[in-house]
PDB file of all heavy atoms in Angstrom:
ATOM      1  N   SER A 196     166.058-118.097-131.806  1.00 88.00           N
ATOM      2  CA  SER A 196     165.259-118.969-132.666  1.00 88.00           C
ATOM      3  C   SER A 196     165.875-119.153-134.006  1.00 88.00           C
ATOM      4  O   SER A 196     166.260-118.085-134.573  1.00 88.00           O
ATOM      5  CB  SER A 196     163.874-118.262-132.861  1.00 88.00           C
ATOM      6  OG  SER A 196     163.040-119.049-133.731  1.00 88.00           O
ATOM      7  N   LEU A 197     166.018-120.356-134.410  1.00 89.00           N
ATOM      8  CA  LEU A 197     166.647-120.628-135.811  1.00 89.00           C
ATOM      9  C   LEU A 197     165.630-120.697-136.795  1.00 89.00           C
ATOM     10  O   LEU A 197     164.707-121.458-136.663  1.00 89.00           O
ATOM     11  CB  LEU A 197     167.471-121.974-135.669  1.00 89.00           C
ATOM     12  CG  LEU A 197     168.013-122.483-136.933  1.00 89.00           C
ATOM     13  CD1 LEU A 197     169.179-121.471-137.391  1.00 89.00           C
ATOM     14  CD2 LEU A 197     168.592-123.840-136.911  1.00 89.00           C
ATOM     15  N   LEU A 198     165.719-119.841-137.737  1.00 92.00           N
ATOM     16  CA  LEU A 198     164.767-119.789-138.888  1.00 92.00           C
ATOM     17  C   LEU A 198     165.338-120.685-140.029  1.00 92.00           C
ATOM     18  O   LEU A 198     166.397-120.311-140.546  1.00 92.00           O
ATOM     19  CB  LEU A 198     164.582-118.262-139.309  1.00 92.00           C
ATOM     20  CG  LEU A 198     164.145-117.377-138.262  1.00 92.00           C
ATOM     21  CD1 LEU A 198     163.934-115.891-138.826  1.00 92.00           C
ATOM     22  CD2 LEU A 198     162.846-117.697-137.525  1.00 92.00           C
ATOM     23  N   ASN A 199     164.780-121.675-140.308  1.00 92.00           N
ATOM     24  CA  ASN A 199     165.387-122.648-141.362  1.00 92.00           C
ATOM     25  C   ASN A 199     165.035-122.310-142.680  1.00 92.00           C
ATOM     26  O   ASN A 199     163.777-122.233-143.000  1.00 92.00           O
ATOM     27  CB  ASN A 199     165.066-124.124-140.901  1.00 92.00           C
ATOM     28  CG  ASN A 199     165.564-125.164-141.874  1.00 92.00           C
ATOM     29  OD1 ASN A 199     164.983-125.489-142.772  1.00 92.00           O
ATOM     30  ND2 ASN A 199     166.763-125.558-141.585  1.00 92.00           N
ATOM     31  N   CYS A 200     165.851-122.328-143.627  1.00 93.00           N
ATOM     32  CA  CYS A 200     165.666-122.080-145.107  1.00 93.00           C
ATOM     33  C   CYS A 200     166.992-122.637-145.810  1.00 93.00           C
ATOM     34  O   CYS A 200     168.002-122.354-145.384  1.00 93.00           O
ATOM     35  CB  CYS A 200     165.506-120.598-145.328  1.00 93.00           C
ATOM     36  SG  CYS A 200     165.016-120.279-147.062  1.00 93.00           S
ATOM     37  N   GLY A 201     166.650-123.272-146.926  1.00 92.00           N
ATOM     38  CA  GLY A 201     167.773-123.791-147.770  1.00 92.00           C
ATOM     39  C   GLY A 201     167.330-123.763-149.193  1.00 92.00           C
ATOM     40  O   GLY A 201     166.210-123.753-149.477  1.00 92.00           O
ATOM     41  N   PHE A 202     168.367-123.973-150.018  1.00 93.00           N
ATOM     42  CA  PHE A 202     168.064-123.869-151.498  1.00 93.00           C
ATOM     43  C   PHE A 202     169.047-124.829-152.219  1.00 93.00           C
ATOM     44  O   PHE A 202     170.103-125.111-151.827  1.00 93.00           O
ATOM     45  CB  PHE A 202     168.111-122.522-152.032  1.00 93.00           C
ATOM     46  CG  PHE A 202     169.476-121.814-152.038  1.00 93.00           C
ATOM     47  CD1 PHE A 202     170.400-121.942-153.190  1.00 93.00           C
ATOM     48  CD2 PHE A 202     169.873-121.090-150.909  1.00 93.00           C
ATOM     49  CE1 PHE A 202     171.544-121.251-153.174  1.00 93.00           C
ATOM     50  CE2 PHE A 202     171.102-120.551-150.904  1.00 93.00           C
ATOM     51  CZ  PHE A 202     171.958-120.659-152.031  1.00 93.00           C
ATOM     52  N   LYS A 203     168.540-125.175-153.423  1.00 91.00           N
ATOM     53  CA  LYS A 203     169.452-126.073-154.188  1.00 91.00           C
ATOM     54  C   LYS A 203     169.088-125.750-155.685  1.00 91.00           C
ATOM     55  O   LYS A 203     168.039-125.090-155.946  1.00 91.00           O
ATOM     56  CB  LYS A 203     169.153-127.524-154.107  1.00 91.00           C
ATOM     57  CG  LYS A 203     169.608-128.050-152.587  1.00 91.00           C
ATOM     58  CD  LYS A 203     169.234-129.692-152.557  1.00 91.00           C
ATOM     59  CE  LYS A 203     169.609-130.009-151.169  1.00 91.00           C
ATOM     60  NZ  LYS A 203     171.086-129.942-150.804  1.00 91.00           N
ATOM     61  N   HIS A 204     170.132-125.943-156.625  1.00 88.00           N
ATOM     62  CA  HIS A 204     169.965-125.441-158.029  1.00 88.00           C
ATOM     63  C   HIS A 204     170.660-126.344-158.877  1.00 88.00           C
ATOM     64  O   HIS A 204     171.413-127.259-158.390  1.00 88.00           O
ATOM     65  CB  HIS A 204     170.488-124.029-158.201  1.00 88.00           C
ATOM     66  CG  HIS A 204     171.946-123.958-157.840  1.00 88.00           C
ATOM     67  ND1 HIS A 204     173.050-124.213-158.714  1.00 88.00           N
ATOM     68  CD2 HIS A 204     172.538-123.631-156.668  1.00 88.00           C
ATOM     69  CE1 HIS A 204     174.098-124.123-158.163  1.00 88.00           C
ATOM     70  NE2 HIS A 204     173.930-123.707-156.825  1.00 88.00           N
ATOM     71  N   GLN A 205     170.397-126.328-160.143  1.00 84.00           N
ATOM     72  CA  GLN A 205     171.042-127.255-161.129  1.00 84.00           C
ATOM     73  C   GLN A 205     171.337-126.490-162.441  1.00 84.00           C
ATOM     74  O   GLN A 205     170.558-125.639-162.986  1.00 84.00           O
ATOM     75  CB  GLN A 205     170.116-128.347-161.401  1.00 84.00           C
ATOM     76  CG  GLN A 205     170.621-129.451-162.300  1.00 84.00           C
ATOM     77  CD  GLN A 205     169.756-130.655-162.334  1.00 84.00           C
ATOM     78  OE1 GLN A 205     169.733-131.454-161.540  1.00 84.00           O
ATOM     79  NE2 GLN A 205     169.022-130.662-163.537  1.00 84.00           N
ATOM     80  N   ASP A 206     172.604-126.674-162.893  1.00 76.00           N
ATOM     81  CA  ASP A 206     173.035-126.164-164.153  1.00 76.00           C
ATOM     82  C   ASP A 206     172.861-124.708-164.230  1.00 76.00           C
ATOM     83  O   ASP A 206     172.339-124.157-165.391  1.00 76.00           O
ATOM     84  CB  ASP A 206     172.253-126.919-165.342  1.00 76.00           C
ATOM     85  CG  ASP A 206     172.578-128.350-165.330  1.00 76.00           C
ATOM     86  OD1 ASP A 206     173.666-128.784-164.847  1.00 76.00           O
ATOM     87  OD2 ASP A 206     171.615-129.190-165.748  1.00 76.00           O
ATOM     88  N   LEU A 207     173.342-123.972-163.286  1.00 77.00           N
ATOM     89  CA  LEU A 207     173.396-122.431-163.348  1.00 77.00           C
ATOM     90  C   LEU A 207     174.852-122.040-163.580  1.00 77.00           C
ATOM     91  O   LEU A 207     175.804-122.629-162.954  1.00 77.00           O
ATOM     92  CB  LEU A 207     172.762-121.909-162.162  1.00 77.00           C
ATOM     93  CG  LEU A 207     171.091-122.147-162.011  1.00 77.00           C
ATOM     94  CD1 LEU A 207     170.627-121.528-160.717  1.00 77.00           C
ATOM     95  CD2 LEU A 207     170.426-121.510-163.175  1.00 77.00           C
ATOM     96  N   PRO A 208     175.035-120.980-164.262  1.00 78.00           N
ATOM     97  CA  PRO A 208     176.380-120.374-164.379  1.00 78.00           C
ATOM     98  C   PRO A 208     176.962-120.093-162.998  1.00 78.00           C
ATOM     99  O   PRO A 208     176.446-119.498-162.169  1.00 78.00           O
ATOM    100  CB  PRO A 208     176.170-119.045-165.197  1.00 78.00           C
ATOM    101  CG  PRO A 208     174.904-119.362-166.008  1.00 78.00           C
ATOM    102  CD  PRO A 208     174.118-120.219-165.010  1.00 78.00           C
ATOM    103  N   PRO A 209     178.252-120.348-162.806  1.00 77.00           N
ATOM    104  CA  PRO A 209     178.855-120.140-161.556  1.00 77.00           C
ATOM    105  C   PRO A 209     179.029-118.743-161.055  1.00 77.00           C
ATOM    106  O   PRO A 209     179.181-118.337-159.988  1.00 77.00           O
ATOM    107  CB  PRO A 209     180.412-120.976-161.636  1.00 77.00           C
ATOM    108  CG  PRO A 209     180.422-120.754-163.202  1.00 77.00           C
ATOM    109  CD  PRO A 209     179.180-121.019-163.828  1.00 77.00           C
ATOM    110  N   ASP A 210     178.972-117.775-162.066  1.00 79.00           N
ATOM    111  CA  ASP A 210     179.046-116.388-161.800  1.00 79.00           C
ATOM    112  C   ASP A 210     177.702-115.736-161.510  1.00 79.00           C
ATOM    113  O   ASP A 210     177.697-114.458-161.422  1.00 79.00           O
ATOM    114  CB  ASP A 210     179.866-115.702-162.866  1.00 79.00           C
ATOM    115  CG  ASP A 210     179.122-115.717-164.330  1.00 79.00           C
ATOM    116  OD1 ASP A 210     178.228-116.629-164.414  1.00 79.00           O
ATOM    117  OD2 ASP A 210     179.484-114.897-165.148  1.00 79.00           O
ATOM    118  N   GLU A 211     176.698-116.437-161.410  1.00 84.00           N
ATOM    119  CA  GLU A 211     175.447-115.985-161.022  1.00 84.00           C
ATOM    120  C   GLU A 211     175.290-115.331-159.756  1.00 84.00           C
ATOM    121  O   GLU A 211     175.972-115.854-158.760  1.00 84.00           O
ATOM    122  CB  GLU A 211     174.261-117.044-161.278  1.00 84.00           C
ATOM    123  CG  GLU A 211     173.907-117.450-162.670  1.00 84.00           C
ATOM    124  CD  GLU A 211     173.031-116.405-163.269  1.00 84.00           C
ATOM    125  OE1 GLU A 211     172.755-115.309-162.727  1.00 84.00           O
ATOM    126  OE2 GLU A 211     172.552-116.634-164.369  1.00 84.00           O
ATOM    127  N   ASP A 212     174.563-114.220-159.524  1.00 86.00           N
ATOM    128  CA  ASP A 212     174.399-113.675-158.243  1.00 86.00           C
ATOM    129  C   ASP A 212     173.396-114.505-157.476  1.00 86.00           C
ATOM    130  O   ASP A 212     172.316-114.997-158.058  1.00 86.00           O
ATOM    131  CB  ASP A 212     173.862-112.233-158.354  1.00 86.00           C
ATOM    132  CG  ASP A 212     174.837-111.223-158.781  1.00 86.00           C
ATOM    133  OD1 ASP A 212     176.145-111.556-158.558  1.00 86.00           O
ATOM    134  OD2 ASP A 212     174.539-110.207-159.390  1.00 86.00           O
ATOM    135  N   VAL A 213     173.726-114.620-156.161  1.00 89.00           N
ATOM    136  CA  VAL A 213     172.813-115.231-155.165  1.00 89.00           C
ATOM    137  C   VAL A 213     172.336-114.131-154.194  1.00 89.00           C
ATOM    138  O   VAL A 213     173.105-113.527-153.579  1.00 89.00           O
ATOM    139  CB  VAL A 213     173.465-116.423-154.371  1.00 89.00           C
ATOM    140  CG1 VAL A 213     172.557-117.022-153.431  1.00 89.00           C
ATOM    141  CG2 VAL A 213     173.968-117.449-155.370  1.00 89.00           C
ATOM    142  N   HIS A 214     171.084-113.846-154.223  1.00 91.00           N
ATOM    143  CA  HIS A 214     170.554-112.836-153.344  1.00 91.00           C
ATOM    144  C   HIS A 214     169.551-113.543-152.309  1.00 91.00           C
ATOM    145  O   HIS A 214     168.640-114.105-152.667  1.00 91.00           O
ATOM    146  CB  HIS A 214     169.806-111.828-154.072  1.00 91.00           C
ATOM    147  CG  HIS A 214     169.285-110.641-153.319  1.00 91.00           C
ATOM    148  ND1 HIS A 214     168.200-109.819-153.614  1.00 91.00           N
ATOM    149  CD2 HIS A 214     169.597-110.255-152.060  1.00 91.00           C
ATOM    150  CE1 HIS A 214     167.984-108.897-152.822  1.00 91.00           C
ATOM    151  NE2 HIS A 214     168.767-109.306-151.657  1.00 91.00           N
ATOM    152  N   VAL A 215     169.983-113.309-151.062  1.00 92.00           N
ATOM    153  CA  VAL A 215     169.148-114.032-149.889  1.00 92.00           C
ATOM    154  C   VAL A 215     168.541-112.913-148.980  1.00 92.00           C
ATOM    155  O   VAL A 215     169.393-112.024-148.547  1.00 92.00           O
ATOM    156  CB  VAL A 215     169.971-115.019-149.127  1.00 92.00           C
ATOM    157  CG1 VAL A 215     169.095-115.577-147.985  1.00 92.00           C
ATOM    158  CG2 VAL A 215     170.465-116.134-149.924  1.00 92.00           C
ATOM    159  N   GLU A 216     167.322-112.915-148.780  1.00 93.00           N
ATOM    160  CA  GLU A 216     166.702-111.828-147.945  1.00 93.00           C
ATOM    161  C   GLU A 216     165.736-112.505-146.955  1.00 93.00           C
ATOM    162  O   GLU A 216     165.004-113.397-147.350  1.00 93.00           O
ATOM    163  CB  GLU A 216     165.959-110.773-148.834  1.00 93.00           C
ATOM    164  CG  GLU A 216     165.395-109.672-148.074  1.00 93.00           C
ATOM    165  CD  GLU A 216     164.527-108.786-148.748  1.00 93.00           C
ATOM    166  OE1 GLU A 216     163.430-109.271-149.300  1.00 93.00           O
ATOM    167  OE2 GLU A 216     164.998-107.620-149.237  1.00 93.00           O
ATOM    168  N   TRP A 217     165.765-111.967-145.738  1.00 93.00           N
ATOM    169  CA  TRP A 217     164.789-112.320-144.663  1.00 93.00           C
ATOM    170  C   TRP A 217     163.874-111.123-144.451  1.00 93.00           C
ATOM    171  O   TRP A 217     164.686-110.083-144.107  1.00 93.00           O
ATOM    172  CB  TRP A 217     165.393-112.963-143.439  1.00 93.00           C
ATOM    173  CG  TRP A 217     165.801-114.331-143.522  1.00 93.00           C
ATOM    174  CD1 TRP A 217     167.043-114.827-143.925  1.00 93.00           C
ATOM    175  CD2 TRP A 217     165.073-115.514-143.204  1.00 93.00           C
ATOM    176  NE1 TRP A 217     167.003-116.286-143.716  1.00 93.00           N
ATOM    177  CE2 TRP A 217     165.808-116.670-143.394  1.00 93.00           C
ATOM    178  CE3 TRP A 217     163.796-115.639-142.803  1.00 93.00           C
ATOM    179  CZ2 TRP A 217     165.402-117.935-143.203  1.00 93.00           C
ATOM    180  CZ3 TRP A 217     163.222-116.963-142.745  1.00 93.00           C
ATOM    181  CH2 TRP A 217     164.007-118.012-142.843  1.00 93.00           C
ATOM    182  N   ARG A 218     162.624-111.237-144.415  1.00 93.00           N
ATOM    183  CA  ARG A 218     161.767-110.104-144.101  1.00 93.00           C
ATOM    184  C   ARG A 218     160.673-110.544-143.114  1.00 93.00           C
ATOM    185  O   ARG A 218     160.143-111.714-143.248  1.00 93.00           O
ATOM    186  CB  ARG A 218     161.127-109.536-145.412  1.00 93.00           C
ATOM    187  CG  ARG A 218     160.264-108.314-145.167  1.00 93.00           C
ATOM    188  CD  ARG A 218     159.685-107.856-146.515  1.00 93.00           C
ATOM    189  NE  ARG A 218     158.863-106.754-146.411  1.00 93.00           N
ATOM    190  CZ  ARG A 218     159.182-105.526-146.086  1.00 93.00           C
ATOM    191  NH1 ARG A 218     160.350-105.232-145.948  1.00 93.00           N
ATOM    192  NH2 ARG A 218     158.164-104.586-145.849  1.00 93.00           N
ATOM    193  N   GLN A 219     160.355-109.686-142.194  1.00 93.00           N
ATOM    194  CA  GLN A 219     159.427-110.000-141.217  1.00 93.00           C
ATOM    195  C   GLN A 219     158.060-109.320-141.563  1.00 93.00           C
ATOM    196  O   GLN A 219     158.067-108.095-141.962  1.00 93.00           O
ATOM    197  CB  GLN A 219     159.738-109.595-139.737  1.00 93.00           C
ATOM    198  CG  GLN A 219     158.688-109.962-138.604  1.00 93.00           C
ATOM    199  CD  GLN A 219     158.905-109.019-137.471  1.00 93.00           C
ATOM    200  OE1 GLN A 219     159.574-108.005-137.530  1.00 93.00           O
ATOM    201  NE2 GLN A 219     158.290-109.516-136.230  1.00 93.00           N
TER     202      GLN A 219
END
Side-chain angles (χ1 to χ4, degrees):
S196 179
L197 175 65
L198 308 183
N199 180 269
C200 182
F202 66 92
K203 296 180 182 292
H204 59 87
Q205 182 169 284
D206 297 334
L207 292 176
D210 60 345
E211 284 280 14
D212 285 337
V213 182
H214 183 197
V215 179
E216 179 186 75
W217 279 95
R218 181 175 176 81
Q219 181 201 22

